[in-house]
Amino acid sequence: MRKMLKNLNGNKIYNLMDKISYVYMILPYLIFFCGWVKTKFAIPLVGILFVILVRAIFSKRESTINMCDKMLECDKKTVFMIAAIIILWVAMSGIGKVSYQTDDHIWRNGLFETLVNQQWPVIDYESGRGVSYYIAFLLPAACVGKVFGINIGYKFQIIWAVIGVCLFYFYICKIIKKVAVWPLLVFILFSGLDIIGELLVGNNQNLLFSPEHLEWWAGQYQFSSHTTQLFWVFNQAIPAWLAVAMILCMENNKKILLVWSCLVLYSTYPFIGMLAIAPFVIMQNSKKNNYGFKEFVQNILTVENTLGAGIIFIVSFLYLSRAGDSMKLGITRLSNGGWLIYIVFIFIEVGCYFWIIYDAQKNNILYYSSLAWLLMCPLLNVYGEKNFCMRASIPALVILYLLLIETILKCKEKKKLIVIGMLLCIGSITPMHEVIKTVSMNKKAYVEKNVSISQRAATYEEVMSNEYEAVDIKGSVFFKYIAK
């Protein structure tokens, strides 16, 4: 018998989760300022940011909350299932070394152990290099590791990740005005139709159980499913998901820039990818609230958006900057048939979804902004690599998922729902491939005991020599003038 929980006021729940979300996004910056910045700078920076956090947490909300003015009803079984699925999903990702880890964890582990074992800021004076990477996600767990030992620190990574995913999914429930399990399952299994791409390029050998990555089929182009993001780049994906959801749920623009700026040290490329979302949410909120020019300016130039976002962005930018580095943004050439691969890639990965939801979302500006960004991402590269396409696309892919869920809820045409279901089933092969590989490797580790469940950690020397994770401190403004 389903025992119903008491009806809970949506505004109260939203306020509570909102408070926790701001702590989640800002806490790593308080830790960073305390641990990496000179005392004379750290004291005012921490003081100002703490006051801004308190303001963000305890600010009164207007009565016209757009997503959360409804009474919420949920039962214990639904809540338990949602929590259990999220915990299982995060545990299977390899975070915290409790499950099989993908190759990228070599560098995640190495960086984390460097943060735990070395004094902050991490500087190797012999080589003249210092750690310079988007480390925000790892900082809370690194603090725990320094106090209680590295094994406990690794386990706290799981807790931090579960909290982030739960907060994100809470906002999803607010957006769709429904507490249900199936949108979570769709999020986990949502992906482009990579299996079709693999077949088109002639790879038809045992695809489901292949050790190769299905999303590599298009070569220089790649969008990553949400499960792939969690299994490979959890430190960038989780905060990006949460920031997108928080901004979408804002009824005004008073803290949008604050939340957006928090992504700089959490996930830099997704921070750039938010260009497809944040400006358009600002426009929507201004239109919805009938702001004149004066009200618009007042709503944007708040303490949170100016002082808070300014401090976070400037310090993070200086920390991540490399001397003489202009980011080297390039355009991918479409010669020698490249244009054909690009067109096929776009349609298979996202175009089919945008096509099927057009009628339901054609009046939504986020439909066009996310589509435009996803069309652009494969054509851009940084340092000649495809990482920009894979990571800067994360926010727009969350929007596409949400537009699809909203279309399903609104749709009354059985044929269209069948087509959407077929697309989701075909796309789900990609995340299922990641899950199957993880289950297989876990079996070998726990049952057959002939493989290590976790990847090794890159050594301190490897981390400090890695051009992505460390920088020459002589050419860094941050390490010269701001770092301890």
Side-chain angles (χ1 to χ4, degrees):
M1 181 177 178
R2 291 162 62 116
K3 183 178 179 181
M4 300 301 294
L5 300 177
K6 292 181 180 180
N7 284 352
L8 300 174
N9 185 280
N11 289 344
K12 290 182 179 179
I13 299 176
Y14 176 80
N15 287 338
L16 174 62
M17 302 304 285
D18 210 34
K19 296 177 196 301
I20 299 173
S21 298
Y22 280 106
V23 173
Y24 192 92
M25 297 301 291
I26 293 176
L27 178 61
Y29 286 92
L30 294 173
I31 295 173
F32 180 76
F33 292 159
C34 289
W36 293 68
V37 176
K38 289 179 180 177
T39 303
K40 64 180 180 180
F41 298 129
I43 291 175
L45 288 175
V46 170
I48 293 171
L49 195 56
F50 181 77
V51 170
I52 287 172
L53 175 59
V54 172
R55 283 173 57 94
I57 288 176
F58 294 104
S59 61
K60 292 184 179 180
R61 304 204 180 283
E62 299 169 9
S63 59
T64 55
I65 292 181
N66 57 344
M67 301 287 183
C68 312
D69 53 359
K70 234 181 143 180
M71 298 292 282
L72 294 177
E73 292 184 5
C74 56
D75 60 87
K76 289 183 178 179
K77 183 178 180 181
T78 300
V79 173
F80 174 79
M81 287 181 64
I82 289 172
I85 291 170
I86 289 175
I87 292 171
L88 177 62
W89 189 42
V90 170
M92 290 185 67
S93 70
I95 301 172
K97 289 188 170 185
V98 298
S99 182
Y100 169 72
Q101 294 184 316
T102 58
D103 293 344
D104 273 16
H105 283 267
I106 293 174
W107 296 102
R108 307 282 176 271
N109 295 342
L111 183 60
F112 177 69
E113 295 190 9
T114 296
L115 292 173
V116 172
N117 295 327
Q118 303 298 321
Q119 183 178 351
W120 293 355
V122 182
I123 300 175
D124 182 40
Y125 290 100
E126 184 176 341
S127 63
R129 296 179 65 80
V131 167
S132 175
Y133 195 71
Y134 26 93
I135 56 175
F137 185 91
L138 299 176
L139 287 178
C143 286
V144 173
K146 280 182 175 293
V147 176
F148 299 103
I150 199 162
N151 291 330
I152 301 298
Y154 268 116
K155 299 306 179 286
F156 189 79
Q157 281 189 30
I158 303 175
I159 297 172
W160 192 248
V162 168
I163 292 172
V165 177
C166 287
L167 290 171
F168 163 74
Y169 191 66
F170 169 80
Y171 284 107
I172 298 301
C173 293
K174 298 302 103 188
I175 292 170
I176 65 175
K177 298 182 177 69
K178 188 179 183 67
V179 179
V181 174
W182 70 265
L184 175 61
L185 296 178
V186 173
F187 184 78
I188 293 172
L189 297 176
F190 182 66
S191 174
L193 314 184
D194 298 291
I195 190 71
I196 294 178
E198 290 279 6
L199 295 173
L200 288 175
V201 299
N203 185 6
N204 55 6
Q205 300 297 318
N206 196 23
L207 287 175
L208 194 57
F209 297 94
S210 168
E212 295 297 326
H213 203 42
L214 291 186
E215 286 152 316
W216 288 340
W217 70 270
Q220 61 186 333
Y221 310 130
Q222 182 182 328
F223 293 145
S224 299
S225 71
H226 301 130
T227 292
T228 301
Q229 294 169 28
L230 184 70
F231 282 34
W232 290 76
V233 288
F234 61 89
N235 56 316
Q236 297 183 63
I238 295 173
W241 299 343
L242 178 57
V244 171
M246 289 177 70
I247 288 175
L248 288 177
C249 276
M250 289 183 177
E251 70 273 11
N252 56 52
N253 303 323
K254 294 180 179 179
K255 295 186 285 291
I256 283 183
L257 299 185
L258 174 65
V259 174
W260 187 3
S261 70
C262 286
L263 287 183
V264 180
L265 198 59
Y266 255 122
S267 42
T268 308
Y269 286 167
F271 166 79
I272 300 173
M274 285 293 291
L275 285 169
I277 299 167
F280 301 96
V281 173
I282 290 172
M283 292 168 55
Q284 285 184 325
N285 287 343
S286 300
K287 183 179 179 180
K288 177 190 67 180
N289 292 301
N290 296 315
Y291 290 145
F293 178 75
K294 181 179 179 181
E295 290 81 8
F296 174 80
V297 173
Q298 290 176 340
N299 210 245
I300 285 289
L301 299 182
T302 60
V303 173
E304 291 81 2
N305 282 342
T306 53
L307 194 56
I311 288 172
I312 288 172
F313 178 82
I314 292 172
V315 176
S316 301
F317 177 80
L318 292 175
Y319 169 68
L320 295 172
S321 294
R322 269 83 168 144
D325 191 347
S326 58
M327 199 173 181
K328 298 178 182 177
L329 183 65
I331 304 296
T332 301
R333 295 182 179 181
L334 298 181
S335 56
N336 299 322
W339 61 270
L340 180 59
I341 297 176
Y342 168 77
I343 292 174
V344 173
F345 169 80
I346 289 296
F347 183 77
I348 287 177
E349 293 296 319
V350 296
C352 53
Y353 291 112
F354 278 105
W355 168 70
I356 199 67
I357 67 175
Y358 172 76
D359 287 340
Q361 303 295 340
K362 60 185 177 183
N363 295 322
N364 189 338
I365 192 172
L366 291 177
Y367 173 92
Y368 300 99
S369 65
S370 57
L371 173 59
W373 185 256
L374 292 173
L375 289 172
M376 188 189 312
C377 269
L379 302 179
L380 302 176
N381 64 74
V382 179
Y383 308 112
E385 296 183 347
K386 59 186 177 183
N387 283 343
F388 183 84
C389 175
M390 292 188 290
R391 308 304 169 230
S393 60
I394 290 175
L397 291 175
V398 173
I399 294 296
L400 176 57
Y401 155 78
L402 284 170
L403 295 176
L404 187 67
I405 293 297
E406 290 182 347
T407 300
I408 292 173
L409 291 171
K410 293 177 182 178
C411 186
K412 298 180 180 179
E413 302 177 33
K414 290 185 179 179
K415 291 183 179 180
K416 182 172 287 189
L417 287 174
I418 291 173
V419 173
I420 292 175
M422 291 175 60
L423 292 176
L424 289 173
C425 286
I426 297 172
S428 69
I429 294 175
T430 299
M432 285 303 300
H433 176 266
E434 295 290 334
V435 172
I436 289 172
K437 183 167 61 175
T438 295
V439 171
S440 174
M441 297 305 290
N442 283 338
K443 179 183 176 182
K444 290 182 179 180
Y446 284 114
V447 180
E448 300 174 15
K449 300 185 183 301
N450 61 356
V451 67
S452 174
I453 196 169
S454 60
Q455 297 287 352
R456 72 176 182 87
T459 64
Y460 171 72
E461 291 75 19
E462 287 176 320
V463 170
M464 299 310 293
S465 62
N466 188 320
E467 61 179 353
Y468 296 111
E469 296 187 333
V471 66
D472 183 353
I473 61 175
K474 292 180 180 178
S476 168
V477 174
F478 177 85
F479 283 101
K480 268 188 176 182
Y481 304 108
I482 302 175
K484 288 182 178 179

